[in-house]
Amino acid sequence: MNCNITVIPGDGIGPEIVREACGVLDKVGAVYGHTFNYTKILMGGCSIDEYGVPLTDEALETAKKSDSVLLGAVGGNVGNSRWYDVAPNLRPEAGLLAIRKGLGLFANIRPAYLYKELADACPLKKEIIGDGFDMVIMRELTGGLYFGDRYTKEIDGVTTAVDTLTYNENEIRRIAIKAFDIAMKRRKSVISVDKANVLDSSRLWRKVVEEVAKDYPEVTLTHMLVDNCAMQLVMNPGQFDVILTENMFGDILSDEASMITGSIGMLSSASLNEGKFGLYEPSHGSAPDIAGKDIANPIATILSAAMMLRYSFDLDKEAKAIEDAVQQVLTEGYRTVDIMADGCKQVGTTEMGKLICERIK
Ligand code: IPM
Ligand code: MG
């Protein structure tokens, strides 16, 4: 197979971790007979420095023409005045929102899985962890508060800021279908999270999700209010299989879910359009304070590359080879500093990438 991948190293640790993920893809290509071609584009702070905007139209066009996108991370310290003393639509994160919208990536898949080897890093008590947990958050990514009308103006002499939360039934239906499709390949449970006791958008959400559920009689659908879900995640994480939710709730809950795995440096994510096109990125940010030190954990990005092989290119065997290689280095006791524990062997970013490459079979 010949795959054209747009690569966005981005800011902070982005370039280091993306380099390792491309190295792993190249190894997969060599072992399984595929060619991965990379075209780099700038996005985030580095694009602001070069072009004055976080994402140029040309860069977006390049991404559109490719088969998939691999992203490191964008943004700097929010106090970094060079990138943040400007209008919100010119900040690094605006590039991320623009590429999500521009590529129609409405379905954000964020797995949160507890590695047995890393259970000690989980901040929850052993009795709560039980046999561990393995969930996927399916977050709607191109609607809701993130993309509604937004402005600040004087109303009756009082400065007033307005953000709008809008969802139409089609936006809800398409993300619900993706969630149920994924649940069919897992433990066949969808917990749909909303705030239907307050919000109209949530009441429509519930109605549409229930309609979609009728086409999936094997899948159990439960509704949960978002505040309760935040609580349940730390009380009984094992109950979750697929969590289906809107953009802002998904942003917040996915940080919570990643935290209880104890290792945000391990979590991958995929953002998909209606078809096979996707943008793949680690769940963590650009960590500017540790950039360039060869200590960042590249595993989340490497696992995101595995998700790319599975979801965009239908290369399940190859994706599994990457996941198995990651599992193997952990079993052998190799750790980057963020997941380091007694009796383990500490390695840097480059070394971790190399160890994983060597174990691709
Ligand atoms: C995420 C991030 C982004 C979001 C920010 C950087 C705009 O927090 O991907 O979860 O809120 O979606
Ligand atoms: Mg977030």
Side-chain angles (χ1 to χ4, degrees):
M1 199 167 179
N2 197 349
C3 310
N4 295 318
I5 302 173
T6 297
V7 174
I8 310 179
D11 307 314
I13 58 172
E16 301 162 60
I17 54 183
V18 159
R19 187 191 60 222
E20 296 314 314
C22 290
V24 170
L25 283 174
D26 289 338
K27 180 67 192 278
V28 168
V31 173
Y32 290 87
H34 307 297
T35 308
F36 300 107
N37 309 303
Y38 309 111
T39 308
K40 273 193 196 164
I41 62 170
L42 296 184
M43 188 172 95
C46 54
S47 172
I48 296 175
D49 287 346
E50 186 77 19
Y51 304 113
V53 290
L55 181 71
T56 62
D57 293 344
E58 294 73 28
L60 182 59
E61 280 312 307
T62 303
K64 272 188 191 161
K65 285 197 213 102
S66 64
D67 301 322
S68 73
V69 182
L70 181 68
L71 165 65
V74 294
N77 288 316
V78 175
N80 181 335
S81 55
R82 187 159 52 103
W83 295 340
Y84 289 90
D85 272 357
V86 292
N89 65 336
L90 293 176
R91 292 181 191 156
E93 289 77 5
L96 191 56
L97 299 188
I99 204 167
R100 286 174 180 169
K101 194 71 168 181
L103 299 175
L105 307 173
F106 67 88
N108 183 215
I109 309 175
R110 298 190 165 178
Y113 168 82
L114 187 71
Y115 280 87
K116 201 165 75 276
E117 290 82 358
L118 306 181
D120 283 344
C122 173
L124 302 178
K125 289 193 183 125
K126 292 242 166 355
E127 55 271 29
I128 286 179
I129 302 173
D131 294 332
F133 52 86
D134 175 2
M135 69 185 92
V136 163
I137 298 190
M138 183 59 101
R139 167 188 177 195
E140 201 292 326
L141 203 59
T142 53
L145 274 174
Y146 279 67
F147 293 96
D149 272 355
R150 157 180 7 270
Y151 54 87
T152 303
K153 68 173 183 185
E154 298 289 311
I155 300 182
D156 296 332
V158 182
T159 306
T160 307
V162 177
D163 295 286
T164 331
L165 168 48
T166 308
Y167 269 108
N168 69 41
E169 56 179 314
N170 299 332
E171 291 170 311
I172 301 169
R173 191 170 298 109
R174 63 184 184 179
I175 185 77
I177 291 172
K178 288 262 188 202
F180 279 88
D181 282 344
I182 287 197
M184 283 299 287
K185 294 187 188 158
R186 295 176 46 97
R187 304 195 305 277
K188 300 194 171 63
S189 147
V190 170
I191 295 188
S192 174
V193 174
D194 62 38
K195 189 71 186 173
N197 51 349
V198 178
L199 302 175
D200 257 38
S201 56
S202 283
R203 285 189 276 271
L204 180 63
W205 184 276
R206 244 178 220 219
K207 178 166 165 280
V208 175
V209 170
E210 275 170 17
E211 284 164 15
V212 171
K214 291 196 184 114
D215 294 331
Y216 298 83
E218 287 174 56
V219 178
T220 313
L221 168 66
T222 316
H223 299 287
M224 195 179 270
L225 294 174
V226 62
D227 45 353
N228 183 30
C229 180
M231 188 170 82
Q232 296 293 332
L233 275 170
V234 290
M235 247 171 53
N236 179 12
Q239 72 185 292
F240 296 102
D241 178 17
V242 176
I243 293 180
L244 163 63
T245 194
E246 63 92 53
N247 205 345
M248 179 62 102
F249 297 159
D251 178 44
I252 299 167
L253 294 175
S254 62
D255 263 32
E256 189 185 1
S258 68
M259 190 59 223
I260 59 170
T261 70
S263 53
I264 193 163
M266 304 289 298
L267 298 178
S268 54
S269 81
S271 304
L272 307 176
N273 73 359
E274 301 271 6
K276 293 252 162 235
F277 189 89
L279 177 149
Y280 300 83
E281 60 174 320
S283 283
H284 59 72
S286 61
D289 44 322
I290 61 162
K293 297 186 176 159
D294 195 42
I295 57 174
N297 186 348
I299 293 182
T301 317
I302 290 170
L303 291 174
S304 302
M307 284 184 98
M308 174 190 290
L309 297 184
R310 178 169 290 122
Y311 290 110
S312 283
F313 303 135
D314 286 321
L315 297 173
D316 285 358
K317 201 166 63 256
E318 291 81 343
K320 177 101 183 4
I322 297 180
E323 289 156 358
D324 288 349
V326 168
Q327 180 64 61
Q328 202 184 329
V329 294
L330 294 176
T331 309
E332 290 173 32
Y334 294 105
R335 304 280 188 273
T336 42
V337 63
D338 55 310
I339 52 173
M340 185 56 191
D342 284 352
C344 292
K345 291 164 269 202
Q346 191 170 321
V347 296
T349 313
T350 321
E351 181 67 14
M352 183 56 98
K354 183 166 156 266
L355 290 164
I356 294 170
C357 277
E358 287 165 2
R359 284 155 186 76
I360 302 278
K361 290 194 277 286

